[in-house]
């Protein structure tokens, strides 16, 4: 009898304990809006999602000991709808490019009671690569000057639109001298393929997709505007104040995503191709060593300046509301995340990658369909390998070289090649290739010509 | 003016079923017209649709928005249905264009339909002369056009920054500078449209009331 009552007591106690636990357990919903067709958002979007990195860093102690997390991801084609969903509190986090980020901050600050915080970056290109102007591959347009009197399309309101406006201003082409058309990336790319438009300006990775598919050719790279191109993470302030450790966990996941990519870029882009549908060869141009994108969650002073510049463009052209940058941008969360990870935030913040300097002497690469990526220290070694591989009929996914002028990584097949004596050089733009050829007593040749120089008989 | 209001209320009471029909017709036809315009413009049929839990989303907004004044603007942008064209040539698919059925805009279209119906009913009551009827129709068309235009809910990926009513105009081929210049005028054009319709209805009712007064006055010998 005594045993029976003890047993009953134990069962009752267990029941009460579990009931108490259930009452204590808090369900924390974390909803993130990302863009799988925008490469620069991947380290806070698709990579974190697919590798479950956020779950790895979510807090499980202290006030979170009994927390249940419900993490959901929503994929968008552009940043605008993410802001609307955040206003409606259907998303807590948003990952987007610089222009939509500014609109996000400004639209929230326009309200009486709601705010977002810009808490971390995802990646950047110091000079602005990622945005570009592309023409149909068979076009006789080779420089931005030739766009006078032509039709140029762009997604108005995007970073590519801002870049186009600045590029035209920098080159003294007033808006009256070209016809600007508002066009979505997919339709713009289709029009370039069909030769229905003279030029199209777009954001990452559309220009490279067009180049890789052989439909378009870059005539202007965003790096020429010298305005950094960056992406970042915004979070609703009410969520951040309620769950600061969750925001820190998200930033840790962003950092971990970057580390994962850096560890093995080829494997990373191959997986990302499966997750996003964007060709791995195009993604490699962004995520490999020497690629367009520097993965870095820190918030640099230069980024704030760039965002202020972009806000000025938006105010002038689209009359968007004012934005108090001091209230919107905070380093508190990213600093706390770095401290928790035992990383030196100040050192990472101070580090700035300029492709023109960082990519000097970078090895050239060939992506063999079966054997993967091989690197070559110089042009002769690279071209010899190309000659051998093409001689055996090997299937090559892509080849990568560097623009002499900007240090930008290029597809070998889309670069302009110059042969001067026994030396070879590669360029993004034809004009600079011609200037180099003249200065070095060389000549413009095709990629195939360069390879054929290294074909050995027998 | 009191007479005019009496006429207005009288017509509305007598023909409320017909006016409701006008409202529903405008609500439905505006969505059909926008979808047809998109199909014609892009020469492609829609290939996806998404239904949203509008009541649930509105409840969430009310729960999570501290200031009452912020709620209407956010709720007004909540979608009920999204119908569009997904392009699968790139990535896992990118929405090339879409029509968003937004309840707040449906309400606007419903009110617009009622106003147009009211003007039409007053024109019949007033038995206007041909030139007056022509002018009244022109004003009705202008007012309705302004309201319909500023409540367009067509969208595409180009609205990276600020999706707004001018996106619809841009999609239909309006130049970038013109659409950007018009963007800030949206509320004024919308109010202008409603103002025109209300003024026309009042004017027609006033004419009717004045005619009734003249007819009612005893003839002097």
């Amino acid at each position: 009898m005594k045993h029976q009552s003890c047993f009953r007591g134990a069962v009752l106690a267990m029941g009460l304990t579990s009931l108490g636990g259930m009452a204590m357990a808090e369900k924390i919903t974390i909803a993130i809006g990302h863009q799988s067709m925008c490469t620069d958002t991947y380290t806070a979007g698709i990579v974190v999602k697919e590798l479950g990195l956020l779950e790895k860093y979510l807090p499980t102690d202290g006030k979170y000991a009994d927390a249940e997390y419900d993490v959901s991801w929503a994929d968008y084609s552009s940043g605008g709808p993410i802001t609307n969903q955040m206003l409606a509190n259907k998303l807590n986090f948003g990952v987007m490019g610089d222009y939509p980020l500014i609109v996000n901050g400004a639209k929230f600050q326009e309200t009486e009671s709601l705010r977002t915080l810009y808490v971390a970056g995802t990646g950047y290109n110091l000079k602005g690569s990622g945005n570009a102007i592309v023409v149909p591959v068979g076009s006789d347009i080779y420089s931005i000057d030739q766009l006078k009197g032509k039709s140029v399309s762009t997604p108005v309101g995007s970073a590519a639109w801002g870049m186009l406006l600045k590029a035209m201003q920098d080159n003294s082409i007033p808006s009256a001298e070209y016809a600007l058309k508002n066009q979505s990336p997919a339709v713009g790319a289709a029009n370039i393929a069909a030769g229905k438009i003279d030029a199209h300006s777009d954001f990452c990775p559309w220009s490279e997709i067009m180049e890789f598919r052989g439909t378009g050719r870059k005539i202007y790279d965003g790096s020429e505007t010298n305005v950094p191109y960056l992406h970042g993470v915004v979070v609703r302030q009410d969520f951040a104040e309620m769950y600061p450790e969750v925001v820190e966990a998200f930033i840790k996941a962003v950092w971990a995503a970057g580390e994962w990519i850096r560890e093995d870029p080829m494997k990373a882009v191959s997986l990302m191709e499966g997750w996003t549908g964007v060709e791995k060869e195009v993604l490699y141009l962004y995520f490999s060593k020497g690629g367009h994108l520097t993965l870095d969650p820190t918030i640099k002073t230069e980024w704030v300046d760039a965002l202020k510049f972009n806000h000025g463009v938006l105010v002038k052209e689209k009359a968007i509301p004012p934005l108090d940058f001091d209230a919107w941008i905070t380093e508190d969360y990213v600093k706390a995340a770095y401290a928790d990870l035992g990383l030196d935030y100040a050192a990472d913040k101070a580090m700035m990658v300029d492709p023109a300097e960082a990519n000097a002497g970078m090895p050239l690469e060939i992506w063999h369909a079966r054997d993967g990526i091989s690197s070559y220290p110089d042009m002769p070694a690279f071209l010899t390998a190309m000659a051998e591989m093409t001689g055996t009929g090997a299937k090559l996914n892509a080849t990568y070289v560097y623009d002499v002028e900007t240090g930008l990584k290029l597809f070998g097949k889309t670069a302009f090649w110059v042969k001067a004596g026994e030396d070879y050089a590669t360029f993004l733009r034809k004009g600079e290739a011609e200037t180099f050829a003249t200065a070095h007593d060389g000549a413009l040749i095709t990629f195939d010509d360069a390879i054929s120089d290294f074909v050995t008989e027998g | 003016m009191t007479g005019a209001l009496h006429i207005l209320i009288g017509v509305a009471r007598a023909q409320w079923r017909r006016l409701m029909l006008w409202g529903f017709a405008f609500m439905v036809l505006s969505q059909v017209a926008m979808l047809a315009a998109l199909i014609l413009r892009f020469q492609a049929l829609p290939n996806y649709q998404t239904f949203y839990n509008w009541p649930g989303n509105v409840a969430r907004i009310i729960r999570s928005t501290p200031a009452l004044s912020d709620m209407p603007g956010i709720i007004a942008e909540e979608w009920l249905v999204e119908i569009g064209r997904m392009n699968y040539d790139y990535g896992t698919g990118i929405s090339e264009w879409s029509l968003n059925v937004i309840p707040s805009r449906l309400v606007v279209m419903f009110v617009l339909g009622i106003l147009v119906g009211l003007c039409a009913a007053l024109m019949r009551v007033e038995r206007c002369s041909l030139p007056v009827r022509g002018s009244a129709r022109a004003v009705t068309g202008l007012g309705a056009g302004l309201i319909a235009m500023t409540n367009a809910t067509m969208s595409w990926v180009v609205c990276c920054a600020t999706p707004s009513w001018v996106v619809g105009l841009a999609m239909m081929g309006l130049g970038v500078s013109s659409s950007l210049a018009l963007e800030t005028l949206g509320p004024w054009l919308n109010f202008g449209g409603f103002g025109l319709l209300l003024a026309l209805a009042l004017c027609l009712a006033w004419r009717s009331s004045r005619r009734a007064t003249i007819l009612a006055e005893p003839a002097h010998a």
Side-chain angles (χ1 to χ4, degrees):
Chain A
M1 192 69 181
K2 196 180 172 184
H3 284 294
Q4 208 173 359
S5 58
C6 278
F7 177 73
R8 275 188 196 152
V11 169
L12 191 66
M14 276 170 63
L16 284 172
T17 310
S18 63
L19 270 175
M22 278 168 69
M24 291 288 286
E26 185 188 4
K27 189 172 182 181
I28 301 174
T29 303
I30 307 168
I32 305 130
H34 70 116
Q35 301 173 66
S36 70
M37 271 306 288
C38 182
T39 45
D40 293 13
T41 65
Y42 287 4
T43 49
I46 199 75
V47 176
V48 175
K49 178 193 172 195
E50 295 295 336
L51 298 181
L53 293 175
L54 177 58
E55 287 82 349
K56 184 181 162 190
Y57 288 104
L58 282 172
T60 53
D61 54 1
K63 73 171 183 179
Y64 300 96
D66 296 308
E68 277 178 37
Y69 294 106
D70 176 16
V71 181
S72 62
W73 296 82
D75 191 1
Y76 294 88
S77 301
S78 62
I82 296 179
T83 293
N84 281 352
Q85 299 297 301
M86 289 180 78
L87 277 164
N89 201 25
K90 283 183 270 177
L91 297 174
N92 311 111
F93 289 88
V95 192
M96 49 190 111
D98 39 22
Y99 275 70
L101 277 171
I102 291 160
V103 175
N104 178 285
K107 279 187 92 169
F108 267 83
Q109 285 190 6
E110 197 179 27
T111 69
E112 190 188 325
S113 60
L114 301 172
R115 296 289 180 271
T116 50
L117 296 171
Y118 177 76
V119 291
T122 57
Y124 68 89
N125 182 283
L126 183 62
K127 298 288 176 67
S129 287
N131 297 309
I133 304 172
V134 171
V135 296
V137 73
S139 169
D140 57 1
I141 297 172
Y142 288 95
S143 83
I144 193 167
D145 302 331
Q146 293 173 274
L147 291 181
K148 280 180 188 168
K150 306 286 184 188
S151 294
V152 188
S153 62
T154 188
V156 170
S158 69
W161 165 71
M163 180 275 292
L164 177 68
L165 295 182
K166 182 160 192 309
M168 291 299 201
Q169 282 165 13
D170 290 351
N171 288 276
S172 306
I173 305 173
S175 56
E177 288 191 20
Y178 64 98
L180 184 62
K181 295 188 185 300
N182 198 359
Q183 198 55 272
S184 72
V187 176
N191 285 343
I192 285 288
K196 286 183 184 170
I197 187 98
D198 297 315
H200 178 71
S201 168
D202 222 320
F203 48 83
C204 55
W206 288 92
S207 311
E208 291 77 20
I209 288 177
M210 287 183 257
E211 283 194 317
F212 182 69
R213 294 188 182 185
T215 57
R217 169 166 48 77
K218 259 190 213 180
I219 59 159
Y220 187 91
D221 186 76
S223 59
E224 293 171 67
T225 59
N226 213 16
V227 177
Y229 180 40
L230 54 124
H231 288 64
V233 181
V234 278
V235 60
R236 270 180 67 118
Q237 189 172 2
D238 48 5
F239 182 90
E241 283 168 356
M242 197 176 286
Y243 306 115
E245 295 84 359
V246 173
V247 178
E248 288 163 27
F250 192 87
I251 298 168
K252 286 176 195 169
V254 174
W255 173 83
E259 289 301 300
W260 176 76
I261 291 170
R262 269 190 285 267
E263 205 172 280
D264 189 346
M266 191 182 88
K267 181 186 160 199
V269 297
S270 299
L271 283 167
M272 282 193 266
E273 181 188 55
W275 300 333
T276 65
V278 178
E279 291 91 334
K280 58 184 180 296
E281 296 83 358
V282 172
L283 295 176
Y284 193 76
L285 210 49
Y286 277 85
F287 292 104
S288 57
K289 198 170 185 199
H292 295 359
L293 189 57
T294 306
L295 303 172
D296 180 357
T298 65
I299 301 171
K300 302 180 199 300
T301 314
E302 290 82 352
W303 293 181
V304 181
D305 293 340
L307 290 169
K308 284 179 180 170
F309 172 83
N310 296 338
H311 181 254
V313 173
L314 282 166
V315 167
K316 188 179 163 217
E317 301 285 339
K318 283 181 78 75
I320 72 152
L323 176 59
D324 177 352
F325 283 82
D326 292 334
W328 181 53
I329 298 174
T330 172
E331 288 180 279
D332 294 351
Y333 299 94
V334 66
K335 278 180 176 171
Y338 263 68
D340 254 18
L341 289 166
L343 301 168
D344 186 347
Y345 180 77
D348 271 13
K349 185 180 173 179
M351 199 187 298
M352 195 82 88
V353 175
D354 180 351
E357 293 167 18
N359 292 355
M362 198 68 89
L364 311 161
E365 293 161 295
I366 301 172
W367 192 333
H368 190 286
R370 190 193 58 216
D371 299 338
I373 294 170
S374 46
S375 302
Y376 303 90
D378 52 37
M379 271 301 175
F382 171 76
L383 290 169
T384 304
M386 278 299 294
E388 283 169 8
M389 288 184 199
T390 49
T392 60
K395 185 176 180 295
L396 303 180
N397 289 342
T399 55
Y400 301 97
V401 296
Y402 292 90
D403 178 30
V404 168
E405 290 287 324
T406 61
L408 201 66
K409 197 166 198 165
L410 310 171
F411 289 121
K413 67 176 183 179
T414 61
F416 288 97
W417 286 76
V418 174
K419 183 180 180 186
E422 293 304 308
D423 294 330
Y424 297 83
T426 46
F427 293 86
L428 168 70
R429 286 172 299 265
K430 192 182 182 187
E432 282 156 4
E434 285 171 341
T435 307
F436 183 88
T438 308
H440 293 82
D441 203 18
L444 253 72
I445 58 169
T446 66
F447 188 21
D448 289 338
D449 291 338
I451 296 167
S452 65
D453 286 351
F454 290 82
V455 173
T456 48
E457 293 299 320
Chain B
M1 190 51 78
T2 318
L5 285 174
H6 276 299
I7 295 274
L8 268 181
I9 293 164
V11 170
R13 270 189 183 158
Q15 303 201 21
W16 69 271
R17 281 193 187 84
R18 191 191 283 250
L19 293 180
M20 288 288 140
L21 259 178
W22 273 94
F24 278 112
F26 260 71
M27 209 167 72
V28 174
L29 288 177
S30 61
Q31 308 305 305
V32 173
M34 280 191 284
L35 187 59
L38 286 168
I39 292 168
L40 286 172
R41 164 73 174 79
F42 292 97
Q43 301 282 300
L45 291 168
N47 61 359
Y48 82 94
Q49 71 284 320
T50 311
F51 295 90
Y52 296 92
N53 176 13
W54 188 81
N57 292 337
V58 169
R60 181 197 287 259
I61 292 167
I62 293 168
R63 278 198 310 273
S64 60
T65 309
L68 209 64
S69 59
D70 291 335
M71 289 177 198
I74 300 172
I75 291 170
E77 296 304 320
E78 271 308 299
W79 299 358
L80 180 66
V81 186
E82 180 186 358
I83 307 165
R85 177 87 187 169
M86 193 71 81
N87 184 329
Y88 292 102
D89 291 343
Y90 304 96
T92 49
I94 186 161
S95 173
E96 215 165 80
W97 56 262
S98 65
L99 169 71
N100 311 312
V101 180
I102 305 177
S104 64
R105 307 299 201 282
L106 292 180
V107 171
V108 173
M109 286 299 130
F110 184 75
V111 174
L112 169 62
I114 287 177
L115 273 175
V116 171
L118 190 62
C119 290
L122 287 165
M123 275 187 253
R124 277 197 303 274
V125 170
E126 167 61 8
R127 286 194 210 97
C128 316
S129 61
L130 269 179
V132 172
R133 186 172 287 232
S135 305
R137 278 183 179 155
V139 172
T140 309
L142 180 64
L146 285 174
I147 296 166
M149 183 177 78
T150 49
N151 285 280
T153 54
M154 297 175 275
S155 178
W156 59 0
V157 191
V158 294
C159 33
C160 282
T162 49
S164 78
W165 66 277
V166 288
V167 168
L169 297 182
M171 289 174 93
M172 293 299 122
L174 189 75
V176 173
S177 48
S178 311
S179 56
L180 289 179
L182 278 175
E183 192 167 16
T184 49
L185 296 176
W188 296 107
L189 295 174
N190 194 31
F191 290 139
F194 275 113
L196 275 177
L197 289 175
L198 281 170
L200 178 66
L202 276 171
C203 177
L204 289 169
W206 177 74
R207 280 172 63 101
S208 287
S209 71
R210 200 183 57 164
R211 199 157 54 89
T213 313
I214 291 167
L215 287 173
E217 277 174 6
H220 297 284

